[in-house]
Amino acid sequence: MAKMTPRTLSGFMELLPAPQQQMERILQTLRETYSLYGFTPLDTPVIESSEVLLAKGGGETEKQIYRFQKGDADLSLRFDLTVPLAKYVALHYNDLAFPFRRYQIGKVYRGERAQRGRFREFYQADIDIIGDGKLSILNEAEIPSIIYQTFSSLGLKRFCILVNNRKILNGFYAMLGLTEQSGGIMRTVDKLDKIGSEKVAELLTGELGIPAEKAVEILSFIAINGENQQVLSNLEAYRGRDSLFDEGLDELKTVVRHLSDFGVPEENFAVDLTIARGLDYYTGTVYETVLLDYPEIGSVCSGGRYDNLAEYYTDKQLPGVGISIGLTRLFYILGEQKLLNPAMNTAPADVLILPMTDDLSASIQTATSLRASEIRAQVYTEQKKFKQKMSYADKLGIPFVIFLGEDEIAQEKVSLKNMHSGEQELLSLGEAAAKILKKLGEFDAIQPIC
Amino acid sequence: MAKMTPRTLSGFMELLPAPQQQMERILQTLRETYSLYGFTPLDTPVIESSEVLLAKGGGETEKQIYRFQKGDADLSLRFDLTVPLAKYVALHYNDLAFPFRRYQIGKVYRGERAQRGRFREFYQADIDIIGDGKLSILNEAEIPSIIYQTFSSLGLKRFCILVNNRKILNGFYAMLGLTEQSGGIMRTVDKLDKIGSEKVAELLTGELGIPAEKAVEILSFIAINGENQQVLSNLEAYRGRDSLFDEGLDELKTVVRHLSDFGVPEENFAVDLTIARGLDYYTGTVYETVLLDYPEIGSVCSGGRYDNLAEYYTDKQLPGVGISIGLTRLFYILGEQKLLNPAMNTAPADVLILPMTDDLSASIQTATSLRASEIRAQVYTEQKKFKQKMSYADKLGIPFVIFLGEDEIAQEKVSLKNMHSGEQELLSLGEAAAKILKKLGEFDAIQPIC
């Protein structure tokens, strides 16, 4: 028979078993962490009606959308988890309690140009808090603590959560009478790191036609940095010139003030006036998260406050705040940078039982009993040479092997071999289980990122 | 602004938060149970190249497939998890250790006619064991124990795993010289429950042109039932007439013999000669699982042994055995039959903290501290009347509320209210955490199905 060469589409991540175990561990950590903060899991369809999904219309992503006909229906694959959330909240409004806190971890689809580290199918891990009409600023203060807890639980230490407030930026531009140009200014200022301040000043006065003295003000404003308290007190100098600015500054101070209550250390947090987030709909606090040793990667967790989640579906005012982790890309980067902890237990089983007799009953009973202690146990059932059986355990990284021969069965014992140390002992099944569980406890303490 | 009416496509399950929590618990139980048996999780793309996915071609499902162009690419959404597994094993053959045991829980897509209880997007939860060249019969004996453990862990008691062996059926038809007609015979015999044995006999002799005496033999063979040992000894009467039959009978006896070692009680297991499974590729043991009180639902977990997983992609002989749970349909049925346990904790948080002072620092610190004990804690931050705050906890079914006012803060205590009993106590934070954890332990013991 002619064979079809098997292949996986480019831009689609398909992991081998060991890295998949690492990914599962990360997924589980995210689920547990988000749950600790009272977020409820949601799962919405991957396919939506195109008119519903694209109600907002236009935008850069539209070309990238997987859109197709099925029968009479015009369908699209979701390209993020925010639009489905907006639909969900508008549709199920009467069944929800607000503030509505949800997390969703799911695959989204964007037909981007294929290139290294870019994915067409990728996981997003989102949390959002949606208010009904109003939402307290304290929710904005809580978000950095969730980011902190999430990355800390994964094992990451050298990261920084950058925070800004769009009201400060918009208020500042209003002070200068440059509200109309603020979009262009922010895009230009965004290039500061790449092209330097002189070139930015040239673009501001040239392309955007901004008076030189205002360009100077913009650059000096953007240049405000240093310790968080220093930045906040520098910003105080602008107070009283624009009410939106003042409101944003008060919000930012509230966010910063509550961070230690929320358990976020100073070194993992910075006020950064250059953070604006491209999306139009952010209206208050905005967040980015950078890995201090890998600044070139950019933000690995971003989001912010918005005033109107579902304006395309409902007249209800639904303000919210949320963040998103691009998990597939993050996982790819962690792998590339050798940050995935090789000490993690990625074996499919904790113990492999090798029957040394024709009758497998004792081995099967042993496995059944170990599983009752929550030990992942596999009986090796194939007719192979001893060496091949051992190399199976070895290849899969299974930490323990139990041998069960006539002698062991007669003595009601098992021979337990620690595959790492090579140590082998004759033990009761209870003793063997205790040894294995002790080792598993050590494994549990190993975080996925090193 | 004109609003787009939000809607979710028909045939796509989208759950409210409380049932979603039940679904998540089921998903987690499946992941844990499959892991206990040494299955490793896999996650393959939802989209595959059409020529790869449809290499086998034809078939009834082809019309149902979501297939579309994106740029030059002819793409399809997966319609099961078996074809992606075949592709995966063929593609990554050199990186895998055999027997390869994997589980995959993921969404698949079939554009069926929309009707109640039929889904176009649904979860399948599959396990498979793939051998390289050979695979011991003991794997077929292990599968019912995994089905048993899975459903028991979910809380189900009144179910039965039906087992047959295709070699017995094929061998039996060979004995009668009816190998060619076996497909048609099995499809006809499948209607036994619905139309009765007389009508089946008519169809066999009429439509299929089978001699009357052979039709009688078929019906008396299919009528063999009773206790497992009785069925097996009745089958012994046919031994020696066909070698395939004899092989199948030996395999079936091996499977039955090991079941008690594997911990499967007699009442959850039955040899049933009417089970054949429609799919052509099953070649040995086949399984169906029925809910004893809801026979009309049909099988909720099916599968079997096949000889050649990936013949469309590779010359390698890859025999395997696997089962699949149609999870979305099962969840729907459980809901319809009121079998989802209402006692399950479906709240998004274990405790809601109500600050009774303007300064929220104490409340935030309390939440942070409770989370460190793995208690899911939410601070209620909105400016609402007391009654509204309590009704929020009530609506979400949050089991505990903590009040933190001036008095509590001054005494370094918290007021803990058990929302179920109404009991309210002034406790140290440690005492409150202990009370909550005790209750959570009780919740953990509640199984999702009642």
PDB file of all heavy atoms in Angstrom, chain A residues 203-223:
ATOM      1  N   LEU A 203      11.389  62.419  14.972  1.00  0.00           N
ATOM      2  CA  LEU A 203      10.121  61.908  14.450  1.00  0.00           C
ATOM      3  C   LEU A 203       8.943  62.716  14.990  1.00  0.00           C
ATOM      4  O   LEU A 203       7.991  63.011  14.269  1.00  0.00           O
ATOM      5  CB  LEU A 203       9.943  60.423  14.812  1.00  0.00           C
ATOM      6  CG  LEU A 203      10.835  59.430  14.058  1.00  0.00           C
ATOM      7  CD1 LEU A 203      10.701  58.027  14.657  1.00  0.00           C
ATOM      8  CD2 LEU A 203      10.479  59.386  12.569  1.00  0.00           C
ATOM      9  N   LEU A 204       9.015  63.062  16.268  1.00  0.00           N
ATOM     10  CA  LEU A 204       7.915  63.800  16.902  1.00  0.00           C
ATOM     11  C   LEU A 204       7.739  65.171  16.237  1.00  0.00           C
ATOM     12  O   LEU A 204       6.625  65.554  15.862  1.00  0.00           O
ATOM     13  CB  LEU A 204       8.172  63.981  18.400  1.00  0.00           C
ATOM     14  CG  LEU A 204       8.060  62.717  19.272  1.00  0.00           C
ATOM     15  CD1 LEU A 204       8.442  63.028  20.721  1.00  0.00           C
ATOM     16  CD2 LEU A 204       6.656  62.120  19.227  1.00  0.00           C
ATOM     17  N   THR A 205       8.832  65.877  16.075  1.00  0.00           N
ATOM     18  CA  THR A 205       8.731  67.223  15.488  1.00  0.00           C
ATOM     19  C   THR A 205       8.546  67.146  13.974  1.00  0.00           C
ATOM     20  O   THR A 205       7.808  67.952  13.399  1.00  0.00           O
ATOM     21  CB  THR A 205       9.987  68.063  15.803  1.00  0.00           C
ATOM     22  OG1 THR A 205      11.143  67.293  15.415  1.00  0.00           O
ATOM     23  CG2 THR A 205      10.074  68.367  17.295  1.00  0.00           C
ATOM     24  N   GLY A 206       9.155  66.168  13.337  1.00  0.00           N
ATOM     25  CA  GLY A 206       9.038  66.020  11.879  1.00  0.00           C
ATOM     26  C   GLY A 206       7.703  65.413  11.476  1.00  0.00           C
ATOM     27  O   GLY A 206       6.724  66.128  11.208  1.00  0.00           O
ATOM     28  N   GLU A 207       7.647  64.074  11.489  1.00  0.00           N
ATOM     29  CA  GLU A 207       6.463  63.342  11.032  1.00  0.00           C
ATOM     30  C   GLU A 207       5.167  63.807  11.681  1.00  0.00           C
ATOM     31  O   GLU A 207       4.145  63.942  11.023  1.00  0.00           O
ATOM     32  CB  GLU A 207       6.622  61.850  11.348  1.00  0.00           C
ATOM     33  CG  GLU A 207       7.239  61.056  10.233  1.00  0.00           C
ATOM     34  CD  GLU A 207       7.261  59.567  10.543  1.00  0.00           C
ATOM     35  OE1 GLU A 207       6.433  59.106  11.358  1.00  0.00           O
ATOM     36  OE2 GLU A 207       8.127  58.879   9.989  1.00  0.00           O
ATOM     37  N   LEU A 208       5.226  64.029  12.996  1.00  0.00           N
ATOM     38  CA  LEU A 208       3.982  64.320  13.709  1.00  0.00           C
ATOM     39  C   LEU A 208       3.721  65.821  13.856  1.00  0.00           C
ATOM     40  O   LEU A 208       2.659  66.231  14.323  1.00  0.00           O
ATOM     41  CB  LEU A 208       3.985  63.643  15.081  1.00  0.00           C
ATOM     42  CG  LEU A 208       4.000  62.111  15.039  1.00  0.00           C
ATOM     43  CD1 LEU A 208       4.154  61.530  16.439  1.00  0.00           C
ATOM     44  CD2 LEU A 208       2.710  61.572  14.408  1.00  0.00           C
ATOM     45  N   GLY A 209       4.721  66.635  13.480  1.00  0.00           N
ATOM     46  CA  GLY A 209       4.541  68.091  13.510  1.00  0.00           C
ATOM     47  C   GLY A 209       4.301  68.662  14.895  1.00  0.00           C
ATOM     48  O   GLY A 209       3.538  69.617  15.072  1.00  0.00           O
ATOM     49  N   ILE A 210       4.965  68.091  15.885  1.00  0.00           N
ATOM     50  CA  ILE A 210       4.786  68.564  17.260  1.00  0.00           C
ATOM     51  C   ILE A 210       5.819  69.647  17.555  1.00  0.00           C
ATOM     52  O   ILE A 210       6.995  69.490  17.230  1.00  0.00           O
ATOM     53  CB  ILE A 210       4.912  67.366  18.227  1.00  0.00           C
ATOM     54  CG1 ILE A 210       3.656  66.508  18.085  1.00  0.00           C
ATOM     55  CG2 ILE A 210       5.130  67.806  19.665  1.00  0.00           C
ATOM     56  CD1 ILE A 210       3.783  65.136  18.663  1.00  0.00           C
ATOM     57  N   PRO A 211       5.382  70.748  18.162  1.00  0.00           N
ATOM     58  CA  PRO A 211       6.325  71.829  18.492  1.00  0.00           C
ATOM     59  C   PRO A 211       7.505  71.308  19.324  1.00  0.00           C
ATOM     60  O   PRO A 211       7.310  70.444  20.192  1.00  0.00           O
ATOM     61  CB  PRO A 211       5.486  72.807  19.312  1.00  0.00           C
ATOM     62  CG  PRO A 211       4.066  72.515  18.943  1.00  0.00           C
ATOM     63  CD  PRO A 211       4.018  71.062  18.596  1.00  0.00           C
ATOM     64  N   ALA A 212       8.661  71.861  19.060  1.00  0.00           N
ATOM     65  CA  ALA A 212       9.890  71.353  19.674  1.00  0.00           C
ATOM     66  C   ALA A 212       9.812  71.328  21.197  1.00  0.00           C
ATOM     67  O   ALA A 212      10.241  70.358  21.836  1.00  0.00           O
ATOM     68  CB  ALA A 212      11.096  72.182  19.217  1.00  0.00           C
ATOM     69  N   GLU A 213       9.251  72.403  21.803  1.00  0.00           N
ATOM     70  CA  GLU A 213       9.244  72.457  23.272  1.00  0.00           C
ATOM     71  C   GLU A 213       8.344  71.362  23.852  1.00  0.00           C
ATOM     72  O   GLU A 213       8.605  70.821  24.927  1.00  0.00           O
ATOM     73  CB  GLU A 213       8.855  73.858  23.789  1.00  0.00           C
ATOM     74  CG  GLU A 213       7.390  74.243  23.700  1.00  0.00           C
ATOM     75  CD  GLU A 213       6.983  74.752  22.315  1.00  0.00           C
ATOM     76  OE1 GLU A 213       7.788  74.641  21.366  1.00  0.00           O
ATOM     77  OE2 GLU A 213       5.834  75.246  22.171  1.00  0.00           O
ATOM     78  N   LYS A 214       7.287  71.004  23.123  1.00  0.00           N
ATOM     79  CA  LYS A 214       6.423  69.923  23.601  1.00  0.00           C
ATOM     80  C   LYS A 214       7.093  68.560  23.436  1.00  0.00           C
ATOM     81  O   LYS A 214       6.929  67.666  24.276  1.00  0.00           O
ATOM     82  CB  LYS A 214       5.076  69.949  22.879  1.00  0.00           C
ATOM     83  CG  LYS A 214       4.247  71.183  23.258  1.00  0.00           C
ATOM     84  CD  LYS A 214       2.819  71.118  22.770  1.00  0.00           C
ATOM     85  CE  LYS A 214       2.060  72.353  23.275  1.00  0.00           C
ATOM     86  NZ  LYS A 214       0.688  72.415  22.773  1.00  0.00           N
ATOM     87  N   ALA A 215       7.856  68.427  22.360  1.00  0.00           N
ATOM     88  CA  ALA A 215       8.612  67.175  22.166  1.00  0.00           C
ATOM     89  C   ALA A 215       9.588  66.983  23.321  1.00  0.00           C
ATOM     90  O   ALA A 215       9.760  65.870  23.839  1.00  0.00           O
ATOM     91  CB  ALA A 215       9.355  67.195  20.828  1.00  0.00           C
ATOM     92  N   VAL A 216      10.201  68.084  23.740  1.00  0.00           N
ATOM     93  CA  VAL A 216      11.124  68.028  24.881  1.00  0.00           C
ATOM     94  C   VAL A 216      10.368  67.586  26.144  1.00  0.00           C
ATOM     95  O   VAL A 216      10.837  66.715  26.897  1.00  0.00           O
ATOM     96  CB  VAL A 216      11.803  69.408  25.117  1.00  0.00           C
ATOM     97  CG1 VAL A 216      12.566  69.419  26.445  1.00  0.00           C
ATOM     98  CG2 VAL A 216      12.720  69.739  23.951  1.00  0.00           C
ATOM     99  N   GLU A 217       9.180  68.144  26.352  1.00  0.00           N
ATOM    100  CA  GLU A 217       8.365  67.758  27.520  1.00  0.00           C
ATOM    101  C   GLU A 217       8.016  66.269  27.483  1.00  0.00           C
ATOM    102  O   GLU A 217       8.053  65.587  28.505  1.00  0.00           O
ATOM    103  CB  GLU A 217       7.078  68.607  27.586  1.00  0.00           C
ATOM    104  CG  GLU A 217       7.227  69.861  28.432  1.00  0.00           C
ATOM    105  CD  GLU A 217       5.951  70.206  29.213  1.00  0.00           C
ATOM    106  OE1 GLU A 217       5.715  69.569  30.270  1.00  0.00           O
ATOM    107  OE2 GLU A 217       5.185  71.093  28.748  1.00  0.00           O
ATOM    108  N   ILE A 218       7.644  65.817  26.299  1.00  0.00           N
ATOM    109  CA  ILE A 218       7.299  64.401  26.153  1.00  0.00           C
ATOM    110  C   ILE A 218       8.485  63.527  26.521  1.00  0.00           C
ATOM    111  O   ILE A 218       8.369  62.572  27.306  1.00  0.00           O
ATOM    112  CB  ILE A 218       6.834  64.092  24.705  1.00  0.00           C
ATOM    113  CG1 ILE A 218       5.500  64.792  24.422  1.00  0.00           C
ATOM    114  CG2 ILE A 218       6.709  62.587  24.483  1.00  0.00           C
ATOM    115  CD1 ILE A 218       5.097  64.808  22.955  1.00  0.00           C
ATOM    116  N   LEU A 219       9.652  63.875  25.987  1.00  0.00           N
ATOM    117  CA  LEU A 219      10.830  63.051  26.247  1.00  0.00           C
ATOM    118  C   LEU A 219      11.225  63.090  27.716  1.00  0.00           C
ATOM    119  O   LEU A 219      11.639  62.071  28.276  1.00  0.00           O
ATOM    120  CB  LEU A 219      11.990  63.485  25.350  1.00  0.00           C
ATOM    121  CG  LEU A 219      11.846  62.957  23.909  1.00  0.00           C
ATOM    122  CD1 LEU A 219      12.818  63.655  22.976  1.00  0.00           C
ATOM    123  CD2 LEU A 219      12.068  61.444  23.877  1.00  0.00           C
ATOM    124  N   SER A 220      11.084  64.235  28.333  1.00  0.00           N
ATOM    125  CA  SER A 220      11.482  64.280  29.749  1.00  0.00           C
ATOM    126  C   SER A 220      10.472  63.530  30.612  1.00  0.00           C
ATOM    127  O   SER A 220      10.824  62.915  31.617  1.00  0.00           O
ATOM    128  CB  SER A 220      11.696  65.722  30.220  1.00  0.00           C
ATOM    129  OG  SER A 220      10.460  66.337  30.483  1.00  0.00           O
ATOM    130  N   PHE A 221       9.203  63.553  30.180  1.00  0.00           N
ATOM    131  CA  PHE A 221       8.174  62.806  30.908  1.00  0.00           C
ATOM    132  C   PHE A 221       8.443  61.301  30.815  1.00  0.00           C
ATOM    133  O   PHE A 221       8.429  60.583  31.817  1.00  0.00           O
ATOM    134  CB  PHE A 221       6.796  63.139  30.318  1.00  0.00           C
ATOM    135  CG  PHE A 221       5.661  62.384  30.935  1.00  0.00           C
ATOM    136  CD1 PHE A 221       5.111  62.771  32.149  1.00  0.00           C
ATOM    137  CD2 PHE A 221       5.133  61.265  30.304  1.00  0.00           C
ATOM    138  CE1 PHE A 221       4.062  62.070  32.719  1.00  0.00           C
ATOM    139  CE2 PHE A 221       4.080  60.553  30.857  1.00  0.00           C
ATOM    140  CZ  PHE A 221       3.555  60.960  32.069  1.00  0.00           C
ATOM    141  N   ILE A 222       8.698  60.861  29.603  1.00  0.00           N
ATOM    142  CA  ILE A 222       8.960  59.438  29.357  1.00  0.00           C
ATOM    143  C   ILE A 222      10.234  58.996  30.062  1.00  0.00           C
ATOM    144  O   ILE A 222      10.394  57.818  30.411  1.00  0.00           O
ATOM    145  CB  ILE A 222       9.073  59.182  27.835  1.00  0.00           C
ATOM    146  CG1 ILE A 222       7.724  59.421  27.163  1.00  0.00           C
ATOM    147  CG2 ILE A 222       9.556  57.789  27.528  1.00  0.00           C
ATOM    148  CD1 ILE A 222       6.635  58.486  27.603  1.00  0.00           C
ATOM    149  N   ALA A 223      11.146  59.937  30.264  1.00  0.00           N
ATOM    150  CA  ALA A 223      12.438  59.587  30.875  1.00  0.00           C
ATOM    151  C   ALA A 223      12.337  59.403  32.388  1.00  0.00           C
ATOM    152  O   ALA A 223      13.289  58.956  33.029  1.00  0.00           O
ATOM    153  CB  ALA A 223      13.478  60.661  30.548  1.00  0.00           C
TER     154      ALA A 223
END
